[in-house]
Amino acid sequence: MLTNSLVELDRRHLIHPVSSFHGHEARGVRVLKSAHGATVTDSEGRDLIDGFAGLWCVNAGYGHETVVEAAATQMRDLSYATGYFDLGAEAPIRLAADLAERSPGDLDHVYFCLGGSDAVDSTIRFIRYYWHAKGEPSRDQFISVEQGYHGSASAGAGLTALPVFHDGFGLPHDWQHKIPSHYAYRNPVGCDDAAIIAASVSALRAKAEELGPERVAAFYVEPIQGSGGVLVPPTGWMKAMREVCTELDILFIADEVITAFGRTGPLFACEDEGIVPDLMTVAKGLTSGYVPMGAVFMREHVYQTLAESAGKKAIGHGFTYSAHPVSAAVALQVLKLYEGGLLENGRRQGARLQAGLAGLADHPLVGDVRGRGMLAAIELVTDKEKKTTLPASLDPANRLFDRAWENGLIVRSFAQGIFGYAPPLCCTDGEIDEIVARTRKVLDLTLEDPEIREVLRA
Ligand code: PLP
C-alpha cells in the first residue's frame, strides 16, 4: 500500500534524470529501501547485488558507520561554512591538502563543487580565463571525443558526445568539436592498438589544424569512456594524446569523474599511464555517493596564471556550496577507507571480475568483453561475425535491465545492448562470482526470449 502510494506520488511529481517522462510514468518507479555493503534492498524486500554501485559512485559500498559518524559529527560541530570572504573550515582544507598530496604531478590546487557536471563547467570557465590571462582570448575552441560524457550542465553537455544530451537543447555550441572515439570493438581501423592510437593522434592533429592550432583551448578525455558504453582505450592512448596537446600548447583535461578513487585500480586512472593533465575533474567516488561533491584539480602553472592575471581582483567563479564541510568530512573518511584496504580489495576483485566476465565471451550473445579493474562491459550482438547490435525495436535497455533485476542483479543497461559493471570496491569473492553467474543466467534467459530468437533466426 505504502509503495503503491509512493509510485503514484513519484509519477505525479518527481522528474527523473535522463528519462522519458511518459515512459517513466508508464513503467513506474522501483523504490529502494536500504543498502549495506554491495547489497541493495527494494521496497518489496528483494535483495540485489549492486553491480553498478548506484551510478558508478558508491565505490566504498553502502552503510559504513564511520562515514555516517563523520557526517553527523561535522553537522553537529559546523553544519556549513562558506569559502567566500576568505573564510573556511578544517575539513575542506585538510581534504584539499590530502588530495593534492596524492594527485598526479603538480595538480596541487583543488576547487570543490557539487558533482561532475559543475566540475566540468568550472573547468570551461577556468580555461577561458586562463587563455585571456595568457593574452590569447581567441583560444576559445574546445575538442572532446565522440561517445564521451562530460555531464549535463549547459556548457559541458556540449562536450558530451551523446545525441540525447544535444537533441532539443541546441547543443553542441559552435565552439565545441569532436574527434572519433578509440572504441576498439567497432573502430574502422580495426582492433590493433597501434593503429587505433595513430588514428586518434592524427584525428586530433587534423581537428586542431582545421580550427587553427592557435584557436584550440583544450582537449577533454575520459581515461575510460563510461557513459558511452565503457570504452577502454589501448594502453598508450592517453599518453599519446597528452603529448599532442603538449606539443600544440592545448590544455589537456582528464575527466576522472568515474575512473578516480579506485575504479580502475589506483586512486586516479591517470596513474595507469603516468599522465599529468593540466586540469582534472573528479566526483562520485570522492564521497562514495554518501553526499554530493565534485572537484577540479589544477596544475601549478594554471593556478599561477589565473592568480597573477587577476591580481587583487576576484576571479568570479564560485558556488554557495563550494567546499561544503559536511561533504569534505565524508570525503576524508571515505579516503581513509580506500587507503585502509578498499583500494587493495578493489584491485583483487577487479581482476576476478575481469576474469569472470571474460569467461562469458563464449556465450552466443556476447560480442565483446572489456574493462579495467572494477569497471567493465559486455556488448551483446545477435551475430558475432557481423557484430550486429540488438534491434532498438526490442528496447534492449529496459528488457535486459528488468531481467537482471528479476535475477537479483543491478547493472547499467545501455540502449544499444551493453551491460556496464562498476561494483563497489568492497565486494567479496562470492559477490563478484554471483555478478558473473547472474549475468550468465540473464544471457541464457535472453537467448530463450522468443523475440530475440526470432532475430537470431533471421
Ligand atoms: N563526467 C563524467 C566522465 C561522468 O561520467 C559524469 C557522470 O556520470 C559527469 C562528468 C557528470 O557528473 P554528475 O552526474 O555528478 O554531474
Side-chain angles (χ1 to χ4, degrees):
M1 200 57 200
L2 180 64
T3 302
N4 284 347
S5 69
L6 280 179
V7 172
E8 204 40 48
L9 288 173
D10 171 87
R11 187 173 278 135
R12 283 194 212 152
H13 301 295
L14 185 65
I15 299 174
H16 285 249
V18 193
S19 67
S20 146
F21 290 1
H22 282 323
H24 174 75
E25 287 165 22
R27 280 189 295 278
V29 67
R30 285 183 164 114
V31 179
L32 302 177
K33 199 91 197 250
S34 61
H36 190 80
T39 300
V40 167
T41 307
D42 73 7
S43 56
E44 290 166 10
R46 184 198 307 262
D47 287 337
L48 303 112
I49 299 183
D50 188 355
F52 198 60
L55 195 64
W56 20 40
C57 57
V58 188
N59 293 13
Y62 297 90
H64 285 282
E65 270 307 318
T66 56
V67 178
V68 176
E69 205 38 57
T73 303
Q74 183 64 52
M75 281 190 191
R76 263 184 227 110
D77 292 350
L78 180 67
S79 53
Y80 175 79
T82 181
Y84 284 57
F85 325 128
D86 303 320
L87 298 176
E90 180 171 351
I93 296 169
R94 289 208 181 281
L95 179 62
D98 283 1
L99 291 173
E101 194 185 317
R102 289 156 176 80
S103 64
D106 62 347
L107 283 164
D108 289 343
H109 303 272
V110 187
Y111 170 79
F112 289 115
C113 37
L114 286 87
S117 296
D118 58 330
V120 170
D121 272 34
S122 295
T123 63
I124 295 171
R125 299 205 78 213
F126 288 138
I127 289 166
R128 292 303 309 276
Y129 203 99
Y130 172 90
W131 287 116
H132 275 88
K134 288 278 213 189
E136 295 185 63
S138 60
R139 274 202 191 254
D140 56 2
Q141 304 295 301
F142 287 63
I143 305 175
S144 55
V145 183
E146 283 169 12
Q147 261 94 23
Y149 186 65
H150 300 288
S152 70
S154 43
L159 296 176
T160 288
L162 304 173
V164 75
F165 293 88
H166 296 170
D167 299 347
F169 291 104
L171 288 172
H173 297 289
D174 59 8
W175 47 269
Q176 296 175 319
H177 311 275
K178 311 289 180 297
I179 63 164
S181 170
H182 38 73
Y183 198 171
Y185 182 57
R186 296 184 186 275
N187 197 310
V189 303
C191 56
D192 175 66
D193 286 0
I196 292 172
I197 293 172
S200 291
V201 165
S202 64
L204 181 56
R205 283 188 190 285
K207 183 57 78 180
E209 200 49 49
E210 175 196 326
L211 299 168
E214 72 293 344
R215 294 291 314 276
V216 183
F219 176 59
Y220 283 70
V221 299
E222 294 160 88
I224 291 175
Q225 293 191 296
S227 301
V230 189
L231 310 177
V232 187
T235 305
W237 187 90
M238 283 277 284
K239 208 178 181 94
M241 303 313 273
R242 161 82 261 191
E243 279 163 11
V244 175
C245 289
T246 306
E247 186 194 315
L248 300 180
D249 207 10
I250 296 169
L251 292 175
F252 182 87
I253 322 305
D255 187 346
E256 289 233 28
V257 165
I258 290 175
T259 52
F261 302 105
R263 184 50 61 208
T264 71
L267 207 53
F268 304 102
C270 281
E271 293 173 42
D272 284 328
E273 288 205 14
I275 300 289
V276 184
D278 295 298
L279 293 132
M280 182 170 81
T281 47
V282 301
K284 297 190 187 272
L286 172 61
T287 49
S288 208
Y290 281 72
V291 286
M293 189 175 226
V296 176
F297 288 72
M298 239 182 236
R299 282 188 70 183
E300 191 65 28
H301 78 96
V302 179
Y303 177 83
Q304 291 304 344
T305 301
L306 266 60
E308 278 158 31
S309 153
K312 288 189 174 158
K313 203 172 122 226
I315 295 171
H317 185 69
F319 312 134
T320 300
Y321 298 126
S322 303
H324 196 287
V326 176
S327 301
V330 165
L332 281 168
Q333 181 53 35
V334 164
L335 191 56
K336 274 191 199 148
L337 295 177
Y338 290 144
E339 295 187 334
L342 276 179
L343 285 184
E344 202 184 314
N345 191 62
R347 281 192 280 268
R348 231 167 24 82
Q349 298 304 345
R352 195 174 184 96
L353 176 71
Q354 300 297 336
L357 293 177
L360 299 174
D362 63 349
H363 194 279
L365 286 174
V366 176
D368 191 33
V369 181
R370 53 184 179 252
R372 192 191 309 151
M374 290 289 250
L375 185 57
I378 59 173
E379 182 157 343
L380 308 190
V381 291
T382 53
D383 183 323
K384 289 200 186 208
E385 214 150 283
K386 295 189 190 138
K387 303 184 179 177
T388 316
T389 51
L390 305 191
S393 58
L394 297 188
D395 189 13
N398 285 314
R399 183 180 293 252
L400 291 161
F401 183 86
D402 290 349
R403 195 161 284 143
W405 186 279
E406 281 149 22
N407 285 281
L409 176 64
I410 305 176
V411 284
R412 172 73 177 263
S413 184
F414 292 94
Q416 63 275 47
I418 296 174
F419 267 179
Y421 300 84
L425 309 183
C426 63
C427 276
T428 60
D429 288 4
E431 284 165 336
I432 293 292
D433 294 349
E434 271 303 307
I435 288 173
V436 175
R438 291 178 196 188
T439 300
R440 188 175 274 284
K441 182 153 181 228
V442 170
L443 293 174
D444 288 344
L445 289 169
T446 304
L447 205 51
E448 286 165 22
D449 185 331
E451 286 173 298
I452 298 281
R453 287 177 80 97
E454 191 72 23
V455 179
L456 285 169
R457 258 202 308 272

